[in-house]
């Protein structure tokens, strides 16, 4: 059974810092991996999608990497801003096309 | 660009009542997924449909049923509601039948169900 783990569960950093969020999964047989952002009580905003054949994707200040063989992904956020404060969720698409989510990392960027 | 539409956005029901949540996928998307996110929890897969047939089933209670209609919209029917059913229910769609099975799922804004 696929399990997705995110570390750390919570993170508080001063504005301007670069930071890394970690995601690990137990079964490397995935189709893709997505990183989402979720504000409190709100919906899911897709940030980056990495296909299983890819190693990284970039969008603005965000960079996500994927090492499928070791079951790991990282989300790198450069020059963090208070507006980046949210919960970041990692999800993998399994062999039946459903997404399995991690428990998320709650990020607080302090002004 | 058109997005996934969910209705209603908010729903308040009492215990033992029934609720119906609707999802309208992005045009030309043939696959719909339902997820449940309880308070403080990560989203959990409930059920999916591909070309109007059930594709996969997760931890969906027997009190819940769902279907996908000829126009590809989907409805999640929930009966004998319990307090624990209070959650955010997301619908997502993807164009799996296009052959691009590796495409991302596009999420709707969710329906917040509160059971009192």
């Amino acid at each position: 059974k696929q399990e997705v783990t995110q570390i750390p569960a919570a993170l508080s950093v001063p504005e301007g810092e670069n930071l890394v969020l970690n995601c690990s999964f137990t079964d490397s047989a995935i189709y893709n991996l997505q990183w989402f952002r979720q504000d409190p009580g709100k919906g899911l905003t897709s940030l980056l999608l990495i296909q299983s054949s890819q190693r990284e994707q970039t969008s603005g200040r965000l960079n996500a990497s994927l090492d499928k063989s070791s079951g790991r992904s990282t989300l790198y956020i450069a020059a963090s801003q208070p507006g980046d404060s949210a919960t970041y969720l990692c999800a993998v698409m399994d062999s039946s096309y459903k997404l399995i989510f991690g428990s998320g990392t709650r990020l607080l960027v302090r002004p | 660009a058109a997005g996934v539409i969910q209705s209603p956005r908010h729903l308040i029901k009492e215990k033992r009542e029934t609720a119906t949540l609707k999802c309208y996928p992005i045009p030309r998307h043939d696959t719909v997924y339902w997820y449940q996110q309880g308070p403080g929890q990560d989203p959990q897969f409930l059920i999916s449909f591909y070309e109007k047939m059930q594709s996969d089933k997760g931890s969906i209670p027997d009190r819940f049923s769902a279907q996908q209609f000829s126009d590809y919209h989907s409805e999640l029917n929930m009966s004998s509601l319990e307090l624990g059913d209070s959650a955010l229910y997301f619908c997502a769609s993807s164009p799996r039948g296009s052959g691009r099975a590796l495409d991302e799922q596009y999420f709707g804004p969710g329906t917040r169900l509160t059971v009192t």
Side-chain angles (χ1 to χ4, degrees), chain A residues 16-66:
Chain A
E17 269 203 12
N18 302 324
L19 55 100
V20 174
L21 308 182
N22 297 289
C23 172
S24 62
F25 46 95
T26 55
D27 186 347
S28 61
I30 64 170
Y31 282 127
N32 61 45
L33 183 145
Q34 275 183 264
W35 282 93
F36 293 88
R37 168 187 172 138
Q38 186 173 34
D39 293 289
K42 302 297 184 183
L44 300 170
T45 301
S46 181
L47 298 173
L48 289 165
L49 168 76
I50 311 177
Q51 304 289 4
S52 61
S53 58
Q54 297 176 323
R55 292 197 63 86
E56 69 176 330
Q57 282 287 337
T58 298
S59 176
R61 295 183 293 108
L62 305 179
N63 175 277
S65 68
L66 174 64

Side-chain angles (χ1 to χ4, degrees), chain A residues 31-32 34 38 41 43-44 46 49 51 93 96-99 101-103, chain B residues 33 35 37 42-43 45 56 88 90 96 101-105 107 109 112:
Chain A
Y31 282 127
N32 61 45
Q34 275 183 264
Q38 186 173 34
L44 300 170
S46 181
L49 168 76
Q51 304 289 4
M93 180 178 282
S96 62
Y97 307 111
K98 66 180 181 286
L99 290 178
F101 287 81
S103 297
Chain B
Y33 306 81
Y35 294 86
Q37 186 178 30
D42 50 287
F45 170 75
D56 195 6
L88 199 51
F90 290 109
R96 192 197 307 178
L102 307 184
D103 268 0
E104 66 184 292
Q105 293 179 17
F107 279 76
R112 179 169 296 285

